[in-house]
Amino acid sequence: MTEYALSDETRAKLMKSSTASVATALYKRGLRNQFIQNVGPVAWKGKNMVGQAFTLRYIPAREDRNPIAVFRNANHPQRVAVETCPPGWVLVMDSRKDPRAASAGSILVTRLAMRGCAGVVSDGGFRDAEGIARLDMPAYHQRPSAPTNLTLHEALDINVPICCGDAPVFPGDVLVGDGDGVMIIPAHLADEIAEECTGMESFEEFVLEQVQDGAAVIGLYPPTTDKAQNDYARWRKKTGR
């Protein structure tokens, strides 16, 4: 577990940052593989998901180890993860990119929401997706999947480094989810990425207004001319952004 603690200030900045801006900021630092592939919101809530990663790792199920009776075990890792993911954090599941069986369903995801967790992410599928879609808490997966996780997955490890949608996730990393998907920010970079993205969002709002008014993008995006930079400075002064 990282010693980093996501501050309210950084969380607020990332709540207003797009995954596209986060991806660009990470790319500038040489990080190219921080987007969870083939995962999208069960239902887009119109607001970002931001929280630190609490992880659960699945391995392929072996039939003699995964009868339905395993859920009677109070220490079953899937259930323990749901009950121990800290409030304000995101439960992230490595389901080996296999949505043929559910990583969880609406009851467990509802429990996460009731406990104050910030979201849930799986590179597999969720069952009862319609019920999950009605929750206020953000949830991301590959697609709906009715079969119980036991048919293909065995929950094994809690809060260890995992792979989710081909991206590495370490416990305590900061996740940002929007309508496009989910980005993973290494914990030690979260504060500076949030600060940079705040400026990027402001600039891109300015650029979009200029383009909608008929401006060409050459020299404007990126701002390689004095005119573009001066126009942006005047825009910020005028709008307070």
Side-chain angles (χ1 to χ4, degrees):
M1 182 83 75
T2 179
E3 295 181 358
Y4 175 81
L6 178 65
S7 68
D8 291 342
E9 180 182 5
T10 293
R11 184 188 295 271
K13 290 176 181 177
L14 292 174
M15 287 294 292
K16 298 178 181 179
S17 300
S18 69
T19 54
S21 291
V22 172
T24 299
L26 289 172
Y27 175 72
K28 292 176 182 177
R29 291 159 176 81
L31 295 168
R32 301 165 180 251
N33 189 36
Q34 300 303 115
F35 186 68
I36 299 179
Q37 297 293 329
N38 298 316
V39 164
V42 175
W44 172 232
K45 307 297 180 181
K47 61 180 180 180
N48 280 8
M49 175 191 74
V50 178
Q52 290 183 258
F54 187 87
T55 64
L56 173 65
R57 184 173 76 96
Y58 286 105
I59 65 169
R62 199 176 75 187
E63 287 78 4
D64 63 325
R65 290 177 52 89
N66 287 276
I68 196 72
V70 298
F71 285 143
R72 296 179 181 176
N73 178 6
N75 294 317
H76 187 272
Q78 184 201 46
R79 267 50 175 178
V80 172
V82 168
E83 293 294 340
T84 56
C85 180
W89 287 50
V90 176
L91 178 59
V92 190
M93 304 184 207
D94 173 4
S95 291
R96 301 172 296 109
K97 301 186 295 183
D98 191 341
R100 293 177 298 156
S103 305
S106 64
I107 291 176
L108 298 188
V109 176
T110 297
R111 178 59 179 159
L112 289 168
M114 295 300 294
R115 293 189 56 252
C117 296
V120 61
V121 180
S122 170
D123 62 0
F126 291 134
R127 66 197 312 197
D128 311 312
E130 185 176 351
I132 293 172
R134 290 194 292 267
L135 297 172
D136 288 335
M137 185 187 73
Y140 291 79
H141 71 163
Q142 193 173 150
R143 62 169 172 79
S145 184
T148 176
N149 65 303
L150 299 176
T151 61
L152 287 172
H153 308 307
E154 178 178 347
L156 194 68
D157 292 320
I158 296 174
N159 228 25
V160 297
I162 62 170
C163 177
C164 187
D166 290 327
V169 185
F170 289 82
D173 282 351
V174 177
L175 276 71
V176 179
D178 62 9
D180 287 350
V182 181
M183 288 295 302
I184 304 155
I185 306 174
H188 68 281
L189 293 174
D191 294 343
E192 65 180 81
I193 294 293
E195 181 64 27
E196 180 171 328
C197 286
T198 299
M200 289 172 64
E201 295 294 337
S202 168
F203 176 68
E204 292 195 358
E205 185 179 350
F206 159 74
V207 169
L208 186 58
E209 286 188 12
Q210 296 293 301
V211 170
Q212 289 172 337
D213 287 341
V217 294
I218 297 174
L220 173 64
Y221 188 67
T224 56
T225 66
D226 290 340
K227 180 180 186 306
Q229 295 177 29
N230 292 335
D231 286 349
Y232 176 51
R234 285 192 292 270
W235 180 86
R236 289 194 67 188
K237 185 175 182 180
K238 176 182 176 181
T239 61
R241 295 194 289 274

